[in-house]
């Protein structure tokens, strides 16, 4: 089967880790082992991934150095993170492929994703990014940098940026051709580098972040895969998550997803975008979405684990 | 004609600039305009590029933040710079293509370059990288980080790393396929991410930098292009450069190159690797190497400017 894998941040860096290159490569190699098992089963894979911790570190390094070096805007930081994570995945995957006796090119494509400059998200930035600041620093940052700042769950103040909807994967045709020719292609990392096309037709980077699962749904459509496999830190989707009566779901239809989204069962910061992305992919002609953990990926593809979402 | 363009650092950032994203995008757009003119002439292009100033800034940002965030090794910093510069080139090129009415996919491939772990360069690191330090800081850096440090032309002390020879472009097959299919492909930025294959067959990143012109010669061979066009900050190669009697050269043969290299006409840090790379490409079957400035690229390809190197 043709499968697009959407790797969560924890496939590359686990909570509580410092973020050293060694930690990340260790995690990536473990991730690669799971993915190579799927390849050994005969599945055809493409890979996309989150970039939260990595782009967070890049932003923080920019802030530390800003007295001397001009900080890079978010689109460029996103591009850096695609190079970094793509490279680590290439290394891990190619070694595990070699160990498994499989010979498959593994390639990362730097990927831009077009968004609509009139997307309503631009009027209402909601996505916190980068370092935490104290209340005292807020007015200066708002004035000097033009940032919108919010109190992030009482942990401090952070910049918020828009999280608009992906409209077109600009390198989509090439990614699809590579996938068709049998290349293990890594694309649209961190949801893609956000760009808009202005009224003169010029494509410009913007200060925004894209939700990686929403972009994954679009990429799955472009690639024509049957299955979108969203790997996260839980083995299944839950109803009443973290509440009394929490229980795992084996299967959901698009209609059930819509109803549960309306009921507010899936929070905006975590499961919500995954379920919305599942709906989008299935309504665009996709066959199946599976949400599970990396460890359960094989079993879930075989129908023995995870949460299946179908039309 | 099929041409591999090797862009010098000044195609992206000029000496004396601060390195803001705006400056870099302005330079990249100017570069893109020149390259699109070549495409309009009917030439088929692939692009590789330097990354000196960009990877230097990434390293410096790592050092600024190292009390809080673990610094990334050189291979990962190189991968970041490929994502960053590749993205900027994609943006600039696609806009200029759009303005010229050309429809061509522009894609960056994150590229690793295999080097031999027994390369003699590892025993004798020569390439200064990253920030300058004072003499007082040297012993601590040597001890804590295991760095080899040198006095860089009296400007301060810097870390030196090996600059080994490129052996194989690991993503070469994919890059060649993209090039053949008519994609404007950007690859092996900064000379490629340096990796070695250890005795167990595991591919590992290493703390080294690759010379972008040497890798360009290898890439030109892999792509089967007729011409390697090396764009730098001078319009021609000079004999007795910066000395009384300096004069420009119109044409050189491989044999003349070898003789002049032996005479020490071309310094190791600048023209030397370009001439050596020209020799390598021509001896591997290449047709022509042209060394010139971005501004003279069109005229040079038409035989009216630059320095031609032939077999």
């Amino acid at each position: 089967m043709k499968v697009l894998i959407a790797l969560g941040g924890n496939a590359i860096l686990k909570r509580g880790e410092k973020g050293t290159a060694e930690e990340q490569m260790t995690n990536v190699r473990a991730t690669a082992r799971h993915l190579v098992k799927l390849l050994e089963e005969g599945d055809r894979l493409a890979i996309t991934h989150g970039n939260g911790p990595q782009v967070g570190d890049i932003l923080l390094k920019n802030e530390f150095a800003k007295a001397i070096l001009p900080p890079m805007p978010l689109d460029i930081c996103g591009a850096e993170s695609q190079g970094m994570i793509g490279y680590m995945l290439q290394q891990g995957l190619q070694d595990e492929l070699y160990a498994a006796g499989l010979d498959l090119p593994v390639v990362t494509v730097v990927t831009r994703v077009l968004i609509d400059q009139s997307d309503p998200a631009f009027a209402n930035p909601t996505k916190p990014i980068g370092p935490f600041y104290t209340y005292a620093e807020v007015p200066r940052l708002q004035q000097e940098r033009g940032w919108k700042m919010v109190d992030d769950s009482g942990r401090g103040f952070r910049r918020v940026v828009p999280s608009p909807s992906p409209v077109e994967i600009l390198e989509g045709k090439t990614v699809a051709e590579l996938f068709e020719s049998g290349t293990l292609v890594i694309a649209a990392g961190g949801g893609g580098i956000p760009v808009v096309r202005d009224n003169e037709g010029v494509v410009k980077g913007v200060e925004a972040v894209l939700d990686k699962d929403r972009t994954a749904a679009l990429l799955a459509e472009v690639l024509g895969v049957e299955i979108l496999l969203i790997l996260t830190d839980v083995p299944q989707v839950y109803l009443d998550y973290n509440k009394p009566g929490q229980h795992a779901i084996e299967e959901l239809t698009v209609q059930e997803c819509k109803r549960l989204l309306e009921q507010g069962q899936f929070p905006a910061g975590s499961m919500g975008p995954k379920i919305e992305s599942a709906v989008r992919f299935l309504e665009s002609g996709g066959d199946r979405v599976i949400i599970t953990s990396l460890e359960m990926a094989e079993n879930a593809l075989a129908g023995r684990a995870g949460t299946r979402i179908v039309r």
Side-chain angles (χ1 to χ4, degrees), chain A residues 165-207:
Chain A
S165 299
V167 173
E168 186 191 341
I169 294 168
L170 291 182
E171 287 75 23
K173 196 165 155 274
T174 303
V175 175
E177 281 167 6
L178 289 169
F179 180 61
E180 276 311 307
S181 75
T183 297
L184 183 45
V185 61
I186 301 159
I193 307 164
V195 299
V196 294
R197 186 171 279 137
D198 74 10
N199 300 331
E200 277 76 47
V202 178
V203 174
K204 284 181 178 156
V206 286
E207 298 274 308

mmCIF file of all heavy atoms in Angstrom, chain A residues 165-207:
data_model
loop_
_atom_site.group_PDB
_atom_site.id
_atom_site.type_symbol
_atom_site.label_atom_id
_atom_site.label_comp_id
_atom_site.label_asym_id
_atom_site.label_seq_id
_atom_site.Cartn_x
_atom_site.Cartn_y
_atom_site.Cartn_z
ATOM 1 N N SER A 165 -4.243 27.983 6.745
ATOM 2 C CA SER A 165 -4.461 26.678 6.091
ATOM 3 C C SER A 165 -3.564 26.531 4.867
ATOM 4 O O SER A 165 -3.446 27.449 4.068
ATOM 5 C CB SER A 165 -5.908 26.568 5.618
ATOM 6 O OG SER A 165 -6.765 26.648 6.708
ATOM 7 N N PRO A 166 -2.970 25.360 4.705
ATOM 8 C CA PRO A 166 -2.162 25.110 3.503
ATOM 9 C C PRO A 166 -3.051 25.041 2.270
ATOM 10 O O PRO A 166 -4.124 24.438 2.311
ATOM 11 C CB PRO A 166 -1.520 23.753 3.783
ATOM 12 C CG PRO A 166 -2.415 23.085 4.770
ATOM 13 C CD PRO A 166 -3.030 24.184 5.584
ATOM 14 N N VAL A 167 -2.620 25.658 1.184
ATOM 15 C CA VAL A 167 -3.417 25.702 -0.040
ATOM 16 C C VAL A 167 -2.772 24.880 -1.160
ATOM 17 O O VAL A 167 -3.430 24.148 -1.863
ATOM 18 C CB VAL A 167 -3.603 27.168 -0.514
ATOM 19 C CG1 VAL A 167 -4.272 27.221 -1.879
ATOM 20 C CG2 VAL A 167 -4.404 27.951 0.503
ATOM 21 N N GLU A 168 -1.445 25.004 -1.281
ATOM 22 C CA GLU A 168 -0.760 24.293 -2.373
ATOM 23 C C GLU A 168 0.671 23.986 -1.958
ATOM 24 O O GLU A 168 1.357 24.850 -1.401
ATOM 25 C CB GLU A 168 -0.753 25.187 -3.631
ATOM 26 C CG GLU A 168 -0.192 24.475 -4.861
ATOM 27 C CD GLU A 168 0.057 25.433 -6.038
ATOM 28 O OE1 GLU A 168 -0.507 26.546 -6.050
ATOM 29 O OE2 GLU A 168 0.859 25.070 -6.919
ATOM 30 N N ILE A 169 1.101 22.780 -2.249
ATOM 31 C CA ILE A 169 2.493 22.403 -1.971
ATOM 32 C C ILE A 169 3.294 22.725 -3.225
ATOM 33 O O ILE A 169 3.146 22.065 -4.251
ATOM 34 C CB ILE A 169 2.567 20.915 -1.588
ATOM 35 C CG1 ILE A 169 1.827 20.715 -0.257
ATOM 36 C CG2 ILE A 169 4.019 20.457 -1.480
ATOM 37 C CD1 ILE A 169 1.578 19.293 0.111
ATOM 38 N N LEU A 170 4.134 23.776 -3.137
ATOM 39 C CA LEU A 170 4.744 24.289 -4.366
ATOM 40 C C LEU A 170 5.679 23.275 -5.030
ATOM 41 O O LEU A 170 5.823 23.276 -6.244
ATOM 42 C CB LEU A 170 5.465 25.613 -4.100
ATOM 43 C CG LEU A 170 4.535 26.789 -3.772
ATOM 44 C CD1 LEU A 170 5.334 28.064 -3.567
ATOM 45 C CD2 LEU A 170 3.494 27.010 -4.869
ATOM 46 N N GLU A 171 6.301 22.436 -4.244
ATOM 47 C CA GLU A 171 7.171 21.403 -4.819
ATOM 48 C C GLU A 171 6.430 20.070 -4.949
ATOM 49 O O GLU A 171 7.061 19.003 -5.102
ATOM 50 C CB GLU A 171 8.435 21.243 -3.963
ATOM 51 C CG GLU A 171 9.417 22.396 -4.102
ATOM 52 C CD GLU A 171 8.962 23.661 -3.375
ATOM 53 O OE1 GLU A 171 8.154 23.547 -2.431
ATOM 54 O OE2 GLU A 171 9.391 24.764 -3.764
ATOM 55 N N GLY A 172 5.098 20.119 -4.890
ATOM 56 C CA GLY A 172 4.292 18.899 -4.866
ATOM 57 C C GLY A 172 4.519 17.984 -6.063
ATOM 58 O O GLY A 172 4.616 16.762 -5.907
ATOM 59 N N LYS A 173 4.641 18.590 -7.244
ATOM 60 C CA LYS A 173 4.789 17.769 -8.453
ATOM 61 C C LYS A 173 6.086 16.953 -8.378
ATOM 62 O O LYS A 173 6.095 15.758 -8.665
ATOM 63 C CB LYS A 173 4.801 18.700 -9.673
ATOM 64 C CG LYS A 173 4.556 18.003 -10.986
ATOM 65 C CD LYS A 173 4.217 19.027 -12.075
ATOM 66 C CE LYS A 173 4.571 18.486 -13.445
ATOM 67 N NZ LYS A 173 5.978 18.727 -13.828
ATOM 68 N N THR A 174 7.164 17.615 -7.975
ATOM 69 C CA THR A 174 8.447 16.912 -7.880
ATOM 70 C C THR A 174 8.398 15.834 -6.807
ATOM 71 O O THR A 174 8.893 14.718 -7.003
ATOM 72 C CB THR A 174 9.575 17.914 -7.567
ATOM 73 O OG1 THR A 174 9.591 18.907 -8.583
ATOM 74 C CG2 THR A 174 10.917 17.227 -7.502
ATOM 75 N N VAL A 175 7.802 16.159 -5.665
ATOM 76 C CA VAL A 175 7.715 15.175 -4.579
ATOM 77 C C VAL A 175 6.933 13.954 -5.064
ATOM 78 O O VAL A 175 7.325 12.799 -4.823
ATOM 79 C CB VAL A 175 7.066 15.802 -3.328
ATOM 80 C CG1 VAL A 175 6.855 14.757 -2.236
ATOM 81 C CG2 VAL A 175 7.926 16.952 -2.790
ATOM 82 N N ALA A 176 5.844 14.194 -5.796
ATOM 83 C CA ALA A 176 5.026 13.082 -6.306
ATOM 84 C C ALA A 176 5.810 12.244 -7.312
ATOM 85 O O ALA A 176 5.737 11.011 -7.298
ATOM 86 C CB ALA A 176 3.751 13.623 -6.938
ATOM 87 N N GLU A 177 6.594 12.910 -8.175
ATOM 88 C CA GLU A 177 7.388 12.164 -9.157
ATOM 89 C C GLU A 177 8.446 11.296 -8.476
ATOM 90 O O GLU A 177 8.673 10.155 -8.866
ATOM 91 C CB GLU A 177 8.059 13.131 -10.145
ATOM 92 C CG GLU A 177 7.089 13.632 -11.218
ATOM 93 C CD GLU A 177 7.626 14.821 -12.009
ATOM 94 O OE1 GLU A 177 8.807 15.198 -11.804
ATOM 95 O OE2 GLU A 177 6.861 15.382 -12.805
ATOM 96 N N LEU A 178 9.083 11.852 -7.453
ATOM 97 C CA LEU A 178 10.078 11.072 -6.718
ATOM 98 C C LEU A 178 9.416 9.869 -6.048
ATOM 99 O O LEU A 178 9.924 8.746 -6.089
ATOM 100 C CB LEU A 178 10.789 11.942 -5.674
ATOM 101 C CG LEU A 178 11.750 12.986 -6.238
ATOM 102 C CD1 LEU A 178 12.187 13.964 -5.149
ATOM 103 C CD2 LEU A 178 12.986 12.307 -6.839
ATOM 104 N N PHE A 179 8.281 10.103 -5.438
ATOM 105 C CA PHE A 179 7.538 9.028 -4.766
ATOM 106 C C PHE A 179 7.169 7.941 -5.779
ATOM 107 O O PHE A 179 7.369 6.746 -5.539
ATOM 108 C CB PHE A 179 6.292 9.623 -4.111
ATOM 109 C CG PHE A 179 5.438 8.621 -3.371
ATOM 110 C CD1 PHE A 179 5.942 7.910 -2.295
ATOM 111 C CD2 PHE A 179 4.114 8.409 -3.754
ATOM 112 C CE1 PHE A 179 5.147 6.997 -1.614
ATOM 113 C CE2 PHE A 179 3.312 7.501 -3.071
ATOM 114 C CZ PHE A 179 3.832 6.789 -2.008
ATOM 115 N N GLU A 180 6.665 8.354 -6.935
ATOM 116 C CA GLU A 180 6.246 7.390 -7.969
ATOM 117 C C GLU A 180 7.420 6.562 -8.468
ATOM 118 O O GLU A 180 7.266 5.393 -8.798
ATOM 119 C CB GLU A 180 5.607 8.135 -9.149
ATOM 120 C CG GLU A 180 4.137 8.451 -8.946
ATOM 121 C CD GLU A 180 3.323 7.245 -8.489
ATOM 122 O OE1 GLU A 180 3.393 6.194 -9.164
ATOM 123 O OE2 GLU A 180 2.639 7.350 -7.451
ATOM 124 N N SER A 181 8.613 7.191 -8.502
ATOM 125 C CA SER A 181 9.775 6.475 -9.042
ATOM 126 C C SER A 181 10.420 5.575 -7.994
ATOM 127 O O SER A 181 11.453 4.976 -8.237
ATOM 128 C CB SER A 181 10.798 7.478 -9.571
ATOM 129 O OG SER A 181 11.461 8.093 -8.487
ATOM 130 N N GLY A 182 9.802 5.484 -6.798
ATOM 131 C CA GLY A 182 10.305 4.553 -5.793
ATOM 132 C C GLY A 182 11.273 5.158 -4.790
ATOM 133 O O GLY A 182 11.867 4.438 -3.993
ATOM 134 N N THR A 183 11.420 6.464 -4.808
ATOM 135 C CA THR A 183 12.296 7.129 -3.835
ATOM 136 C C THR A 183 11.557 7.285 -2.507
ATOM 137 O O THR A 183 10.365 7.582 -2.482
ATOM 138 C CB THR A 183 12.696 8.513 -4.383
ATOM 139 O OG1 THR A 183 13.432 8.320 -5.584
ATOM 140 C CG2 THR A 183 13.543 9.288 -3.377
ATOM 141 N N LEU A 184 12.276 7.082 -1.418
ATOM 142 C CA LEU A 184 11.722 7.351 -0.096
ATOM 143 C C LEU A 184 11.899 8.848 0.141
ATOM 144 O O LEU A 184 12.985 9.316 0.465
ATOM 145 C CB LEU A 184 12.473 6.514 0.941
ATOM 146 C CG LEU A 184 12.033 6.572 2.392
ATOM 147 C CD1 LEU A 184 10.524 6.476 2.549
ATOM 148 C CD2 LEU A 184 12.694 5.447 3.182
ATOM 149 N N VAL A 185 10.817 9.598 -0.047
ATOM 150 C CA VAL A 185 10.945 11.045 -0.080
ATOM 151 C C VAL A 185 10.447 11.665 1.232
ATOM 152 O O VAL A 185 9.421 11.254 1.780
ATOM 153 C CB VAL A 185 10.234 11.631 -1.328
ATOM 154 C CG1 VAL A 185 8.748 11.334 -1.346
ATOM 155 C CG2 VAL A 185 10.472 13.119 -1.458
ATOM 156 N N ILE A 186 11.217 12.621 1.733
ATOM 157 C CA ILE A 186 10.893 13.357 2.958
ATOM 158 C C ILE A 186 10.538 14.773 2.517
ATOM 159 O O ILE A 186 11.346 15.439 1.864
ATOM 160 C CB ILE A 186 12.110 13.377 3.903
ATOM 161 C CG1 ILE A 186 12.527 11.939 4.270
ATOM 162 C CG2 ILE A 186 11.820 14.215 5.160
ATOM 163 C CD1 ILE A 186 13.966 11.818 4.747
ATOM 164 N N ALA A 187 9.334 15.227 2.855
ATOM 165 C CA ALA A 187 8.904 16.521 2.321
ATOM 166 C C ALA A 187 8.012 17.269 3.297
ATOM 167 O O ALA A 187 7.439 16.677 4.217
ATOM 168 C CB ALA A 187 8.162 16.314 1.006
ATOM 169 N N ALA A 188 7.912 18.559 3.091
ATOM 170 C CA ALA A 188 6.987 19.423 3.832
ATOM 171 C C ALA A 188 7.193 19.347 5.343
ATOM 172 O O ALA A 188 6.236 19.390 6.114
ATOM 173 C CB ALA A 188 5.531 19.118 3.462
ATOM 174 N N GLY A 189 8.454 19.229 5.769
ATOM 175 C CA GLY A 189 8.762 19.200 7.191
ATOM 176 C C GLY A 189 8.227 20.432 7.904
ATOM 177 O O GLY A 189 8.227 21.536 7.347
ATOM 178 N N GLY A 190 7.748 20.235 9.141
ATOM 179 C CA GLY A 190 7.200 21.339 9.921
ATOM 180 C C GLY A 190 5.963 21.946 9.273
ATOM 181 O O GLY A 190 5.624 23.092 9.550
ATOM 182 N N GLY A 191 5.303 21.181 8.413
ATOM 183 C CA GLY A 191 4.112 21.691 7.719
ATOM 184 C C GLY A 191 4.447 22.472 6.467
ATOM 185 O O GLY A 191 3.555 22.943 5.767
ATOM 186 N N GLY A 192 5.756 22.591 6.173
ATOM 187 C CA GLY A 192 6.188 23.343 4.988
ATOM 188 C C GLY A 192 6.566 24.769 5.344
ATOM 189 O O GLY A 192 6.152 25.297 6.374
ATOM 190 N N ILE A 193 7.366 25.377 4.478
ATOM 191 C CA ILE A 193 7.751 26.781 4.672
ATOM 192 C C ILE A 193 6.597 27.644 4.158
ATOM 193 O O ILE A 193 6.227 27.536 2.989
ATOM 194 C CB ILE A 193 9.035 27.117 3.876
ATOM 195 C CG1 ILE A 193 10.151 26.114 4.208
ATOM 196 C CG2 ILE A 193 9.479 28.553 4.145
ATOM 197 C CD1 ILE A 193 11.294 26.130 3.200
ATOM 198 N N PRO A 194 6.025 28.497 5.033
ATOM 199 C CA PRO A 194 4.826 29.233 4.618
ATOM 200 C C PRO A 194 5.162 30.413 3.702
ATOM 201 O O PRO A 194 5.957 31.272 4.047
ATOM 202 C CB PRO A 194 4.247 29.732 5.947
ATOM 203 C CG PRO A 194 5.413 29.807 6.875
ATOM 204 C CD PRO A 194 6.408 28.773 6.425
ATOM 205 N N VAL A 195 4.525 30.435 2.529
ATOM 206 C CA VAL A 195 4.713 31.541 1.580
ATOM 207 C C VAL A 195 3.337 31.979 1.051
ATOM 208 O O VAL A 195 2.399 31.199 1.036
ATOM 209 C CB VAL A 195 5.631 31.142 0.396
ATOM 210 C CG1 VAL A 195 7.020 30.748 0.869
ATOM 211 C CG2 VAL A 195 5.022 30.026 -0.444
ATOM 212 N N VAL A 196 3.295 33.243 0.648
ATOM 213 C CA VAL A 196 2.082 33.754 -0.016
ATOM 214 C C VAL A 196 2.476 34.275 -1.394
ATOM 215 O O VAL A 196 3.634 34.605 -1.634
ATOM 216 C CB VAL A 196 1.412 34.911 0.771
ATOM 217 C CG1 VAL A 196 0.874 34.416 2.109
ATOM 218 C CG2 VAL A 196 2.362 36.079 0.972
ATOM 219 N N ARG A 197 1.496 34.329 -2.289
ATOM 220 C CA ARG A 197 1.725 34.957 -3.589
ATOM 221 C C ARG A 197 1.026 36.310 -3.533
ATOM 222 O O ARG A 197 -0.180 36.376 -3.293
ATOM 223 C CB ARG A 197 1.152 34.077 -4.699
ATOM 224 C CG ARG A 197 1.471 34.576 -6.101
ATOM 225 C CD ARG A 197 1.080 33.564 -7.166
ATOM 226 N NE ARG A 197 2.088 32.512 -7.331
ATOM 227 C CZ ARG A 197 1.823 31.209 -7.475
ATOM 228 N NH1 ARG A 197 0.583 30.789 -7.439
ATOM 229 N NH2 ARG A 197 2.795 30.341 -7.625
ATOM 230 N N ASP A 198 1.810 37.391 -3.704
ATOM 231 C CA ASP A 198 1.198 38.713 -3.586
ATOM 232 C C ASP A 198 0.483 39.113 -4.872
ATOM 233 O O ASP A 198 0.433 38.338 -5.829
ATOM 234 C CB ASP A 198 2.224 39.763 -3.116
ATOM 235 C CG ASP A 198 3.217 40.145 -4.200
ATOM 236 O OD1 ASP A 198 3.026 39.755 -5.369
ATOM 237 O OD2 ASP A 198 4.202 40.832 -3.879
ATOM 238 N N ASN A 199 -0.065 40.315 -4.876
ATOM 239 C CA ASN A 199 -0.903 40.719 -6.016
ATOM 240 C C ASN A 199 -0.123 40.816 -7.330
ATOM 241 O O ASN A 199 -0.705 40.773 -8.405
ATOM 242 C CB ASN A 199 -1.606 42.042 -5.716
ATOM 243 C CG ASN A 199 -2.495 41.922 -4.491
ATOM 244 O OD1 ASN A 199 -3.015 40.836 -4.199
ATOM 245 N ND2 ASN A 199 -2.669 43.008 -3.746
ATOM 246 N N GLU A 200 1.209 40.959 -7.227
ATOM 247 C CA GLU A 200 2.035 41.003 -8.449
ATOM 248 C C GLU A 200 2.510 39.588 -8.850
ATOM 249 O O GLU A 200 3.302 39.452 -9.777
ATOM 250 C CB GLU A 200 3.265 41.897 -8.244
ATOM 251 C CG GLU A 200 2.986 43.379 -8.452
ATOM 252 C CD GLU A 200 2.251 43.981 -7.265
ATOM 253 O OE1 GLU A 200 2.689 43.726 -6.123
ATOM 254 O OE2 GLU A 200 1.232 44.653 -7.479
ATOM 255 N N GLY A 201 2.108 38.600 -8.099
ATOM 256 C CA GLY A 201 2.530 37.238 -8.434
ATOM 257 C C GLY A 201 3.831 36.824 -7.777
ATOM 258 O O GLY A 201 4.312 35.710 -7.997
ATOM 259 N N VAL A 202 4.421 37.726 -6.970
ATOM 260 C CA VAL A 202 5.686 37.416 -6.303
ATOM 261 C C VAL A 202 5.420 36.540 -5.072
ATOM 262 O O VAL A 202 4.527 36.831 -4.281
ATOM 263 C CB VAL A 202 6.414 38.717 -5.882
ATOM 264 C CG1 VAL A 202 7.706 38.400 -5.140
ATOM 265 C CG2 VAL A 202 6.702 39.574 -7.110
ATOM 266 N N VAL A 203 6.211 35.463 -4.961
ATOM 267 C CA VAL A 203 6.057 34.544 -3.833
ATOM 268 C C VAL A 203 6.965 35.004 -2.692
ATOM 269 O O VAL A 203 8.163 35.182 -2.887
ATOM 270 C CB VAL A 203 6.385 33.103 -4.267
ATOM 271 C CG1 VAL A 203 6.374 32.166 -3.076
ATOM 272 C CG2 VAL A 203 5.390 32.633 -5.316
ATOM 273 N N LYS A 204 6.364 35.226 -1.518
ATOM 274 C CA LYS A 204 7.131 35.749 -0.383
ATOM 275 C C LYS A 204 6.926 34.880 0.850
ATOM 276 O O LYS A 204 5.807 34.441 1.126
ATOM 277 C CB LYS A 204 6.635 37.153 -0.035
ATOM 278 C CG LYS A 204 7.123 38.196 -1.010
ATOM 279 C CD LYS A 204 6.618 39.561 -0.609
ATOM 280 C CE LYS A 204 7.165 40.607 -1.581
ATOM 281 N NZ LYS A 204 6.340 41.802 -1.624
ATOM 282 N N GLY A 205 7.999 34.700 1.622
ATOM 283 C CA GLY A 205 7.873 34.009 2.898
ATOM 284 C C GLY A 205 7.075 34.854 3.870
ATOM 285 O O GLY A 205 7.089 36.082 3.786
ATOM 286 N N VAL A 206 6.374 34.212 4.789
ATOM 287 C CA VAL A 206 5.611 34.955 5.790
ATOM 288 C C VAL A 206 5.910 34.433 7.187
ATOM 289 O O VAL A 206 6.354 33.310 7.374
ATOM 290 C CB VAL A 206 4.082 34.893 5.546
ATOM 291 C CG1 VAL A 206 3.692 35.780 4.380
ATOM 292 C CG2 VAL A 206 3.609 33.475 5.326
ATOM 293 N N GLU A 207 5.624 35.309 8.156
ATOM 294 C CA GLU A 207 5.816 34.952 9.560
ATOM 295 C C GLU A 207 4.580 34.193 10.039
ATOM 296 O O GLU A 207 3.633 34.785 10.575
ATOM 297 C CB GLU A 207 6.024 36.216 10.385
ATOM 298 C CG GLU A 207 7.248 37.015 9.998
ATOM 299 C CD GLU A 207 8.488 36.526 10.708
ATOM 300 O OE1 GLU A 207 8.485 36.408 11.942
ATOM 301 O OE2 GLU A 207 9.486 36.245 10.024
#
